[in-house]
Amino acid sequence: MGDYGQYIEPASDGGYIMTGYAASNDGDVSGNHGLDDYWVVKLNAAGGIQWQKCLGGRSEDRANMIHQTPDGGYIVAGSAFSNDGDVTGNHNSMDYWIVKLSSTGSIQWERSFGGSKNEYAYSIQLTTDGGYIVAGLTESNDGDVTGNHGGRDFWVVKLSSTGALQWQNTYGGSADEEAYSIQLAADGGYIVAGFTQSNNGDVSGNHGNTDYWIVKISNTGALQWQKTLGGTLYETAWCVQATPDGGYIVAGTASSNDGDVSGNHIGFAVGFSDYWIVKLSSAGSIQWQKCLGGNYNETAYTIQLTADGGYIVAGSAESFDGDVSCHVSYHDYWVAKLSATGALQWSKDMGGSGTDEAYSISPTSDGGYILNGLTSSKELAGYHTDYNSTVGDAWVIKLGPPQAAPTPPSITVSPHNPVICPGQPVTLSADPHNPGPTFHFQWKKNGVNVGTDNAAYTDAALADQDVITCEMTTSDCSLGSITVSDQVVITAGGAPPSIHIDADATSICSGTLVTFTALVAHAGAAPLYQWKVNGIAAGANSNIFSTNTLPNGAIITCAYSDNNPCMPPSPIVSNAIPVQVTTSGTPSISIAASQSKICAGTEVTFTATAVSAGTNSSYQWKVNGSVVSASGPAYTTAALANGSTVNCTLTADPALHCLTAFTAVSNDIVMTVTPVLDPTLNVRVSKNAICYGMPVNFIATAAHAGTAPSYQWKVNGASIGNNSPSFSSNVLNNGDQVTCLLTPDKDACSIGALSSDPVTMVIYDLPVVTISPADTTIKAGQSITLTATVTGTLNTFEWQPEDQLLNPPSLAPVTVPMAASTTFTLKVVSSDGCSTRGKAIVKVIRPLVLPNAFTPNGDGKNDVFRIPPDVPLTLREFSIFDRWGHRVFTTRNIAQGWDGRINGQLSPPGVYVYMIDGVGEKGDLVLKGTVLLIR
């Protein structure tokens, strides 16, 4: 079963005291009262169990924190749903349950605090007056609870040394707040940390979604100040500690990278999180903040002060990069040591193939640390595997004092500050020092990953002041996982040469001499010109090129190179100059029409194409020999008659002295003009007497409607179907009238739309089949009689599947003993030849069996964890709980299941507990188990 460690700290005898909760009653666990119990374990200095106690009742009771008291005993805080066994005074829901134990684990007193809804206690501390201060959350506003602001609130309770309630206060807004940590402040008050979703009530400054919420209260519970810390995504504070300077250090998780959060490793998808460590002043102002992690999820659950003035943080890690070094598996314990200013000094990853999460860490007297949490890694030594291997053990780890650090690795890059020419490739080389046996490179340009895992990086797109660094990741954790080189700052050199050419003429007669001149900017001392005509080398090495042998349409370019240090490897090429060369001859002209066959009154555009006419040519258009326009190479008219002849006379540019003639007449275009005619329309039907639901086809035949007329079919005047000369339907009723509205194409020379004569349909009713029972449930091996009734005159009938019936020729057949759920159909045919079917479903019920894992990734397979269908169960409740005991899903609908979300957000992977309460075939049924959510 599932046994979880939540908190551990050194005890006065050199051993350790640990608490959490256990569902087992074997192995290391004994005395369980039912479901989850508080589990308190006393360990010796070597980790051996000296004694253990299960505290609670028959329902769920989960401890979260324990401390040794001045009398040598212990105070334990958590939440209880029981009201029997060791638990008294429960308010019929989850309550704070505070238990005072002797030095040997005997109960000295216990107290329940809460209201009619749920309360969860996560943190308890000893106070200077010998009492206790407790923090967590409340959903109630009755019983011991007053002042709830809506949803869940921080709930802080002050107790006397004997557990008497001295005062209580709720803090929050209209949405949810949850407090996970409380500590004594230097002024005698208290500092409380958790998260908020509100931005009203006691809460202000929320950045969006969930923020760290840090609340400072007096020793009587008065709110002195509050701070919301975070960005636009999700932040949760899990632990707060007071620091010697009067300020505070907070640890938790952040998925934002804006607002108060910077340096987040972002991850492969929105919502991935880092450890987020925040140092606050005594007034709650941020002094510094630090994100630790990689491209997947990291969550910091606890932070403690260390003797050197720094901090030790513990939680879980999923990344294999960034700050996470020597990652073992997908979800491990991760411990990080920080300096007083938040610099990462070292980190350590521990775990196996399953889920491993550290919830508590405390410094020990030998300079090391003690941790505990949970593990589901079966290969770890001593793991208590149960029958389905889906739950976990409490996992305690003792770390010794840090070893002396070896010489750290370093990396240098050369050339250190290169001068580059724009567009030219530059190669940088990395030189590693003391990298360990295995290492990898990651080049960065202006902070963005570039290049490959190689000691050399080449880039042809560097710009002035670009910054290049190289990160070296080593496999030796003792050396530090990532080492960054010094910055290499790129300096841009001179500009490369550029070339432009001009011509003294671009339109010439054949044989005319034309001269081209090249102008070069940023030229070097040894220029080299290569002129080309249509890509073929011509001319000499000079900035001037002259020729009188160019063909018409010749393209002139010039390729240039010199000794400029920023000269590209290949010569640069100038702009291209095309040259029009006119030979002796006469101009010519041809014309084309936008259309030559038109309806009367249609507008037509004629376009002229001239050859050897020059740029200043003129045009004169004629219709039937009469001049109608001199407006240019295009003429438009709508006044043409059938047989009209159109042509155009061209006068060439007088400047083209190469021509032997200057006028030309185009071809003739003879127009066909059609008068406007009215369309006709006829509709025929494939069959107008049919059974209801049978398809019937209608075909429209049109005349004088053009090449692409449009059709609109109508049934009883309502438009239906698409723009097609045919229409099919299988939903017509008796007496329906079908017509077609024809709209001629624009080329039809027709005016107006035309509707066809109506076609009146004769539709025979389908027989109605009723089978009783239509939907029934039986046990496997039983038989049942199916009774069918049919309206109208029956001609023939047929059952399917026949092999599951003892007498299929009957309208009241008996099934064979059923082994599986089956759908029976009855096909009947009426005297009109109309057929229809009836259906009856016989379900065969099965025993209750649930899967032990599901994968809600949206692929349509195992996306929902639910009670299987065909189970004979009247459901009273189906609930899912997370590792904190929160109900994350509940339903009374047996067909509904959990999709792996909590309040619309993706829930983290891991082990969850389900509970089923209902009435089965043999009476009341209560079933509890676990399921593994896999992502």
Coordinates of all heavy atoms in Angstrom, one line a residue, residues 417-496:
N417 N 38.6 38.1 -29.7 CA 37.7 39.2 -30.2 C 38.0 39.4 -31.7 O 38.7 40.3 -32.1 CB 37.9 40.5 -29.4 CG 37.4 40.4 -28.0 OD1 36.2 40.1 -27.9 ND2 38.2 40.7 -27.0
P418 N 37.5 38.6 -32.6 CA 37.8 38.6 -34.0 C 37.2 39.8 -34.7 O 36.1 40.3 -34.3 CB 37.3 37.3 -34.6 CG 36.1 37.0 -33.7 CD 36.5 37.4 -32.3
V419 N 37.8 40.3 -35.8 CA 37.3 41.3 -36.7 C 36.7 40.6 -37.9 O 37.4 39.8 -38.5 CB 38.3 42.3 -37.1 CG1 37.7 43.3 -38.1 CG2 38.9 43.0 -35.8
I420 N 35.5 40.8 -38.2 CA 34.8 40.1 -39.3 C 34.4 41.0 -40.4 O 34.1 42.2 -40.2 CB 33.6 39.2 -38.8 CG1 32.6 40.2 -38.1 CG2 34.1 38.2 -37.8 CD1 31.4 40.6 -38.9
C421 N 34.2 40.4 -41.6 CA 33.6 41.2 -42.7 C 32.2 40.7 -42.9 O 31.9 39.5 -42.7 CB 34.4 40.9 -44.0 SG 36.1 41.5 -44.0
P422 N 31.2 41.6 -43.1 CA 29.8 41.2 -43.2 C 29.6 40.0 -44.2 O 30.1 40.1 -45.3 CB 29.1 42.4 -43.7 CG 30.0 43.6 -43.3 CD 31.4 43.0 -43.4
G423 N 28.9 39.0 -43.8 CA 28.5 37.9 -44.6 C 29.6 36.8 -44.8 O 29.4 35.8 -45.4
Q424 N 30.8 37.1 -44.2 CA 31.9 36.1 -44.4 C 31.9 35.2 -43.1 O 31.7 35.6 -42.0 CB 33.2 36.8 -44.5 CG 33.4 37.5 -45.8 CD 34.9 38.0 -46.0 OE1 35.7 37.9 -45.1 NE2 35.2 38.5 -47.2
P425 N 32.1 33.9 -43.3 CA 32.1 32.9 -42.2 C 33.3 33.1 -41.3 O 34.4 33.4 -41.8 CB 32.1 31.6 -42.9 CG 32.8 31.8 -44.2 CD 32.3 33.2 -44.6
V426 N 33.1 33.0 -40.0 CA 34.1 33.0 -39.0 C 34.1 31.7 -38.2 O 33.0 31.3 -37.8 CB 34.0 34.2 -38.1 CG1 35.0 34.2 -36.9 CG2 34.1 35.5 -38.9
T427 N 35.2 31.1 -37.9 CA 35.2 29.9 -37.1 C 35.9 30.2 -35.8 O 37.0 30.7 -35.7 CB 36.0 28.8 -37.8 OG1 35.3 28.4 -39.0 CG2 36.1 27.5 -37.0
L428 N 35.2 29.8 -34.7 CA 35.7 29.9 -33.3 C 35.9 28.6 -32.7 O 35.2 27.6 -33.0 CB 34.6 30.7 -32.4 CG 34.2 32.1 -32.9 CD1 33.1 32.6 -32.1 CD2 35.4 33.0 -32.9
S429 N 37.0 28.4 -31.9 CA 37.4 27.1 -31.4 C 37.4 27.2 -29.8 O 37.8 28.2 -29.2 CB 38.8 26.8 -31.8 OG 38.8 26.6 -33.2
A430 N 36.9 26.1 -29.2 CA 36.8 26.0 -27.8 C 37.9 25.1 -27.3 O 38.2 24.1 -27.8 CB 35.4 25.4 -27.3
D431 N 38.6 25.6 -26.2 CA 39.7 24.8 -25.6 C 39.3 24.5 -24.1 O 39.3 25.3 -23.2 CB 41.0 25.6 -25.6 CG 42.1 24.8 -25.0 OD1 42.0 23.6 -24.9 OD2 43.2 25.5 -24.7
P432 N 38.8 23.2 -23.8 CA 38.4 22.8 -22.5 C 39.6 22.5 -21.6 O 40.6 22.0 -22.0 CB 37.5 21.6 -22.7 CG 38.1 21.0 -24.0 CD 38.7 22.1 -24.8
H433 N 39.4 22.8 -20.3 CA 40.4 22.5 -19.3 C 39.8 21.8 -18.1 O 38.7 22.2 -17.6 CB 41.1 23.8 -18.8 CG 41.7 24.7 -19.8 ND1 42.9 24.5 -20.4 CD2 41.1 25.7 -20.5 CE1 43.1 25.3 -21.3 NE2 42.1 26.1 -21.4
N434 N 40.3 20.6 -17.7 CA 39.8 19.8 -16.6 C 38.3 19.5 -16.8 O 37.5 19.7 -15.9 CB 40.0 20.5 -15.3 CG 39.7 19.6 -14.1 OD1 40.0 18.4 -14.1 ND2 39.2 20.1 -13.0
P435 N 37.9 18.9 -18.0 CA 36.5 18.7 -18.3 C 36.0 17.4 -17.7 O 34.8 17.2 -17.8 CB 36.5 18.7 -19.8 CG 37.8 18.1 -20.2 CD 38.8 18.6 -19.1
G436 N 36.8 16.5 -17.2 CA 36.3 15.2 -16.8 C 36.3 14.2 -18.0 O 36.6 14.6 -19.1
P437 N 35.8 13.0 -17.8 CA 35.9 12.0 -18.8 C 35.0 12.2 -20.0 O 35.3 11.8 -21.1 CB 35.6 10.7 -18.1 CG 34.7 11.1 -16.9 CD 35.3 12.4 -16.5
T438 N 33.8 12.8 -19.7 CA 32.8 13.0 -20.8 C 32.3 14.4 -20.7 O 32.0 14.9 -19.6 CB 31.6 12.0 -20.7 OG1 32.1 10.7 -20.6 CG2 30.6 12.2 -21.8
F439 N 32.3 15.1 -21.9 CA 31.8 16.5 -21.8 C 31.2 16.9 -23.2 O 31.5 16.2 -24.2 CB 32.9 17.5 -21.5 CG 34.2 17.4 -22.4 CD1 34.3 18.2 -23.5 CD2 35.1 16.4 -22.1 CE1 35.5 18.0 -24.3 CE2 36.3 16.3 -22.8 CZ 36.4 17.1 -24.0
H440 N 30.3 17.9 -23.2 CA 29.6 18.3 -24.4 C 29.7 19.9 -24.5 O 29.8 20.5 -23.4 CB 28.2 17.9 -24.4 CG 28.0 16.4 -24.3 ND1 28.1 15.6 -25.4 CD2 27.8 15.6 -23.2 CE1 27.9 14.3 -25.0 NE2 27.8 14.3 -23.7
F441 N 29.6 20.4 -25.7 CA 29.6 21.8 -25.9 C 28.2 22.3 -26.4 O 27.5 21.7 -27.1 CB 30.6 22.1 -27.0 CG 32.0 21.7 -26.7 CD1 32.6 20.6 -27.2 CD2 32.8 22.5 -25.9 CE1 33.9 20.2 -26.9 CE2 34.1 22.2 -25.6 CZ 34.7 21.0 -26.1
Q442 N 27.9 23.6 -26.0 CA 26.7 24.3 -26.5 C 27.2 25.7 -26.7 O 27.4 26.5 -25.8 CB 25.6 24.2 -25.5 CG 24.4 25.1 -26.0 CD 23.8 24.6 -27.3 OE1 23.4 23.5 -27.4 NE2 24.0 25.4 -28.4
W443 N 27.2 26.1 -28.0 CA 27.6 27.5 -28.4 C 26.3 28.3 -28.3 O 25.2 27.9 -28.5 CB 28.1 27.5 -29.8 CG 29.4 26.8 -29.9 CD1 29.7 25.5 -30.2 CD2 30.7 27.4 -29.8 NE1 31.0 25.2 -30.2 CE2 31.7 26.4 -30.0 CE3 31.2 28.7 -29.5 CZ2 33.0 26.6 -29.9 CZ3 32.5 28.9 -29.4 CH2 33.5 27.9 -29.6
K444 N 26.5 29.6 -27.9 CA 25.4 30.6 -27.8 C 25.8 31.9 -28.5 O 26.9 32.4 -28.3 CB 25.0 30.9 -26.3 CG 24.4 29.7 -25.6 CD 24.1 30.0 -24.2 CE 23.4 28.9 -23.5 NZ 22.0 28.7 -23.9
K445 N 24.9 32.4 -29.3 CA 25.0 33.7 -29.9 C 24.0 34.7 -29.3 O 22.8 34.5 -29.4 CB 24.9 33.7 -31.4 CG 25.0 35.1 -32.1 CD 25.3 35.0 -33.5 CE 24.1 34.6 -34.3 NZ 24.3 34.7 -35.8
N446 N 24.5 35.7 -28.6 CA 23.6 36.6 -27.9 C 22.6 35.9 -27.0 O 21.4 36.3 -26.9 CB 22.8 37.5 -28.9 CG 23.8 38.3 -29.8 OD1 24.8 38.8 -29.3 ND2 23.4 38.4 -31.1
G447 N 23.1 34.9 -26.3 CA 22.3 34.1 -25.4 C 21.4 33.0 -25.9 O 20.7 32.3 -25.2
V448 N 21.4 32.9 -27.3 CA 20.5 31.9 -27.9 C 21.4 30.7 -28.4 O 22.4 30.9 -29.0 CB 19.7 32.5 -29.1 CG1 18.9 31.5 -29.8 CG2 18.9 33.7 -28.6
N449 N 20.9 29.5 -28.2 CA 21.7 28.3 -28.6 C 21.9 28.3 -30.1 O 21.0 28.5 -30.9 CB 20.9 27.0 -28.2 CG 20.9 26.8 -26.7 OD1 21.7 27.5 -26.0 ND2 20.1 25.8 -26.2
V450 N 23.2 28.0 -30.5 CA 23.5 27.9 -31.9 C 24.5 26.8 -32.1 O 25.0 26.2 -31.1 CB 24.1 29.2 -32.5 CG1 23.1 30.3 -32.5 CG2 25.3 29.7 -31.7
G451 N 24.9 26.4 -33.3 CA 25.9 25.4 -33.5 C 25.5 24.0 -33.1 O 24.3 23.7 -32.8
T452 N 26.5 23.1 -33.0 CA 26.3 21.7 -32.6 C 27.2 21.4 -31.5 O 28.0 22.2 -31.0 CB 26.5 20.8 -33.8 OG1 27.9 21.0 -34.3 CG2 25.6 21.1 -34.9
D453 N 27.2 20.2 -31.0 CA 28.0 19.7 -29.9 C 29.4 19.4 -30.5 O 29.8 18.3 -30.8 CB 27.4 18.4 -29.3 CG 28.3 17.9 -28.1 OD1 29.2 18.6 -27.7 OD2 28.0 16.8 -27.7
N454 N 30.2 20.5 -30.7 CA 31.5 20.5 -31.4 C 32.4 21.5 -30.8 O 31.9 22.6 -30.4 CB 31.3 20.7 -32.9 CG 32.5 20.2 -33.7 OD1 33.5 20.8 -33.6 ND2 32.3 19.2 -34.5
A455 N 33.7 21.2 -30.8 CA 34.6 22.2 -30.2 C 34.8 23.4 -31.2 O 35.5 24.4 -30.8 CB 36.0 21.5 -30.0
A456 N 34.3 23.3 -32.4 CA 34.4 24.5 -33.3 C 33.0 24.9 -33.7 O 32.1 24.1 -33.9 CB 35.2 24.0 -34.6
Y457 N 32.9 26.2 -34.0 CA 31.6 26.8 -34.4 C 31.9 27.8 -35.5 O 32.7 28.7 -35.4 CB 30.9 27.5 -33.2 CG 29.8 28.4 -33.6 CD1 28.7 28.0 -34.3 CD2 29.8 29.8 -33.3 CE1 27.6 28.8 -34.7 CE2 28.8 30.7 -33.7 CZ 27.7 30.2 -34.3 OH 26.7 31.0 -34.7
T458 N 31.2 27.6 -36.6 CA 31.3 28.5 -37.8 C 30.0 29.2 -38.1 O 29.0 28.6 -38.1 CB 31.7 27.7 -39.0 OG1 33.0 27.0 -38.8 CG2 31.9 28.6 -40.2
D459 N 30.1 30.6 -38.3 CA 28.9 31.4 -38.5 C 29.3 32.4 -39.6 O 30.3 33.1 -39.5 CB 28.5 32.1 -37.2 CG 27.1 32.7 -37.3 OD1 26.7 33.0 -38.4 OD2 26.5 32.9 -36.3
A460 N 28.4 32.5 -40.6 CA 28.5 33.4 -41.7 C 27.6 34.6 -41.6 O 27.5 35.5 -42.5 CB 28.3 32.8 -43.1
A461 N 26.9 34.7 -40.5 CA 25.9 35.8 -40.3 C 26.1 36.6 -39.1 O 25.2 37.1 -38.4 CB 24.5 35.2 -40.2
L462 N 27.4 36.7 -38.7 CA 27.8 37.5 -37.5 C 27.7 39.0 -37.8 O 27.9 39.5 -38.9 CB 29.2 37.2 -37.0 CG 29.3 35.8 -36.4 CD1 30.8 35.5 -36.2 CD2 28.5 35.6 -35.2
A463 N 27.3 39.8 -36.8 CA 27.2 41.2 -36.9 C 28.0 41.9 -35.9 O 28.4 41.3 -34.9 CB 25.7 41.7 -36.8
D464 N 28.2 43.2 -36.0 CA 29.0 44.0 -35.1 C 28.4 43.9 -33.7 O 27.2 44.0 -33.5 CB 29.1 45.5 -35.5 CG 30.1 46.3 -34.7 OD1 31.2 45.8 -34.5 OD2 29.7 47.4 -34.3
Q465 N 29.2 43.6 -32.6 CA 28.8 43.5 -31.2 C 28.0 42.3 -30.9 O 27.5 42.2 -29.8 CB 28.0 44.8 -30.8 CG 28.8 46.1 -30.9 CD 30.2 46.0 -30.2 OE1 30.2 45.8 -29.0 NE2 31.3 46.3 -30.9
D466 N 27.9 41.3 -31.8 CA 27.4 40.0 -31.4 C 28.3 39.4 -30.3 O 29.5 39.6 -30.4 CB 27.4 39.0 -32.6 CG 26.1 39.2 -33.5 OD1 25.2 39.9 -33.0 OD2 26.1 38.6 -34.6
V467 N 27.7 38.7 -29.4 CA 28.4 38.1 -28.2 C 28.3 36.6 -28.4 O 27.2 36.0 -28.4 CB 27.8 38.6 -26.9 CG1 28.5 37.9 -25.7 CG2 28.0 40.1 -26.8
I468 N 29.4 35.9 -28.4 CA 29.5 34.5 -28.5 C 30.1 33.9 -27.2 O 31.1 34.4 -26.7 CB 30.4 34.0 -29.7 CG1 29.9 34.7 -31.0 CG2 30.3 32.5 -29.9 CD1 28.5 34.4 -31.4
T469 N 29.4 32.9 -26.7 CA 30.0 32.1 -25.6 C 29.8 30.6 -25.9 O 29.1 30.2 -26.8 CB 29.2 32.4 -24.2 OG1 27.9 32.1 -24.4 CG2 29.4 33.8 -23.8
C470 N 30.6 29.8 -25.1 CA 30.5 28.3 -25.3 C 30.3 27.8 -23.9 O 31.1 28.0 -22.9 CB 31.7 27.8 -25.9 SG 31.6 26.0 -26.2
E471 N 29.2 27.0 -23.7 CA 28.9 26.3 -22.4 C 29.5 24.8 -22.6 O 29.2 24.2 -23.6 CB 27.4 26.2 -22.1 CG 26.9 27.6 -21.7 CD 25.4 27.5 -21.3 OE1 24.8 26.4 -21.5 OE2 24.8 28.4 -20.9
M472 N 30.2 24.4 -21.5 CA 30.6 23.0 -21.5 C 29.9 22.3 -20.4 O 29.9 22.7 -19.2 CB 32.1 23.0 -21.2 CG 32.7 21.6 -21.2 SD 34.5 21.6 -21.1 CE 34.8 22.4 -19.5
T473 N 29.2 21.2 -20.7 CA 28.5 20.3 -19.8 C 29.3 19.1 -19.5 O 29.7 18.4 -20.5 CB 27.1 20.0 -20.3 OG1 26.4 21.1 -20.6 CG2 26.4 19.2 -19.2
T474 N 29.7 18.8 -18.3 CA 30.5 17.7 -17.9 C 29.7 16.6 -17.3 O 28.6 16.9 -16.7 CB 31.6 18.1 -17.0 OG1 31.1 18.5 -15.7 CG2 32.4 19.2 -17.5
S475 N 30.2 15.4 -17.3 CA 29.4 14.2 -16.7 C 29.9 14.0 -15.2 O 29.3 13.2 -14.5 CB 29.7 13.0 -17.5 OG 31.1 12.7 -17.5
D476 N 30.9 14.7 -14.8 CA 31.4 14.5 -13.4 C 30.7 15.6 -12.5 O 31.0 16.7 -12.6 CB 32.9 14.7 -13.4 CG 33.5 14.4 -12.0 OD1 32.7 14.3 -11.0 OD2 34.7 14.2 -11.9
C477 N 29.7 15.1 -11.7 CA 28.9 16.0 -10.9 C 29.8 16.8 -9.9 O 29.4 17.9 -9.5 CB 27.8 15.3 -10.1 SG 26.7 14.4 -11.2
S478 N 30.9 16.2 -9.5 CA 31.7 16.9 -8.5 C 32.4 18.1 -9.1 O 32.9 19.0 -8.4 CB 32.8 16.0 -7.9 OG 33.7 15.6 -8.9
L479 N 32.5 18.2 -10.4 CA 33.1 19.3 -11.1 C 32.1 20.5 -11.4 O 32.5 21.5 -11.9 CB 33.8 18.9 -12.4 CG 35.0 17.9 -12.2 CD1 35.5 17.4 -13.5 CD2 36.1 18.5 -11.3
G480 N 30.8 20.2 -11.2 CA 29.9 21.2 -11.7 C 29.4 20.9 -13.1 O 30.2 20.5 -14.0
S481 N 28.1 20.9 -13.3 CA 27.6 20.4 -14.6 C 27.8 21.3 -15.8 O 28.0 20.8 -16.9 CB 26.1 20.1 -14.5 OG 25.4 21.3 -14.2
I482 N 27.8 22.6 -15.6 CA 27.9 23.6 -16.7 C 29.0 24.6 -16.4 O 29.0 25.2 -15.4 CB 26.6 24.2 -17.0 CG1 25.5 23.2 -17.4 CG2 26.7 25.3 -18.1 CD1 24.2 23.8 -17.7
T483 N 29.9 24.8 -17.4 CA 30.9 25.8 -17.3 C 30.8 26.7 -18.5 O 30.7 26.2 -19.6 CB 32.3 25.2 -17.2 OG1 32.4 24.3 -16.1 CG2 33.4 26.3 -17.1
V484 N 30.9 28.0 -18.3 CA 30.7 29.0 -19.4 C 32.0 29.7 -19.7 O 32.7 30.2 -18.8 CB 29.5 30.0 -19.1 CG1 29.3 30.9 -20.2 CG2 28.3 29.3 -18.7
S485 N 32.3 29.9 -20.9 CA 33.5 30.6 -21.3 C 33.4 32.1 -21.2 O 32.3 32.6 -20.9 CB 33.8 30.3 -22.8 OG 32.9 30.9 -23.6
D486 N 34.5 32.8 -21.3 CA 34.4 34.2 -21.4 C 33.7 34.6 -22.7 O 33.6 33.9 -23.6 CB 35.8 34.9 -21.4 CG 36.5 34.7 -20.1 OD1 35.8 34.5 -19.1 OD2 37.8 34.7 -20.1
Q487 N 33.2 35.9 -22.7 CA 32.4 36.4 -23.9 C 33.4 36.7 -25.0 O 34.5 37.3 -24.7 CB 31.6 37.6 -23.5 CG 30.4 37.3 -22.6 CD 29.6 38.5 -22.3 OE1 30.0 39.6 -22.7 NE2 28.4 38.3 -21.7
V488 N 33.0 36.4 -26.2 CA 33.8 36.8 -27.4 C 32.9 37.9 -28.1 O 31.8 37.5 -28.5 CB 34.1 35.6 -28.3 CG1 34.7 36.1 -29.6 CG2 35.0 34.6 -27.7
V489 N 33.4 39.1 -28.2 CA 32.6 40.2 -28.8 C 33.1 40.4 -30.2 O 34.3 40.6 -30.5 CB 32.7 41.5 -28.0 CG1 31.9 42.6 -28.6 CG2 32.3 41.2 -26.5
I490 N 32.2 40.3 -31.2 CA 32.5 40.5 -32.6 C 32.6 41.9 -33.0 O 31.8 42.8 -32.6 CB 31.4 39.8 -33.5 CG1 31.3 38.3 -33.1 CG2 31.8 39.9 -34.9 CD1 32.5 37.5 -33.2
T491 N 33.7 42.3 -33.7 CA 33.9 43.6 -34.3 C 33.8 43.6 -35.8 O 34.5 42.8 -36.4 CB 35.2 44.2 -33.9 OG1 35.3 44.2 -32.4 CG2 35.4 45.6 -34.4
A492 N 32.9 44.4 -36.4 CA 32.7 44.4 -37.8 C 33.9 45.2 -38.5 O 34.2 46.3 -38.0 CB 31.4 45.0 -38.2
G493 N 34.4 44.6 -39.6 CA 35.4 45.3 -40.3 C 34.8 46.2 -41.4 O 33.7 46.6 -41.3
G494 N 35.6 46.6 -42.4 CA 35.1 47.5 -43.4 C 34.0 46.9 -44.3 O 33.9 45.7 -44.3
A495 N 33.3 47.7 -45.0 CA 32.3 47.3 -45.9 C 32.9 46.6 -47.1 O 33.9 47.0 -47.6 CB 31.3 48.4 -46.3
P496 N 32.2 45.6 -47.7 CA 32.7 45.0 -48.9 C 32.5 45.9 -50.1 O 31.6 46.8 -50.1 CB 31.9 43.7 -49.1 CG 30.6 44.0 -48.3 CD 31.0 44.9 -47.2

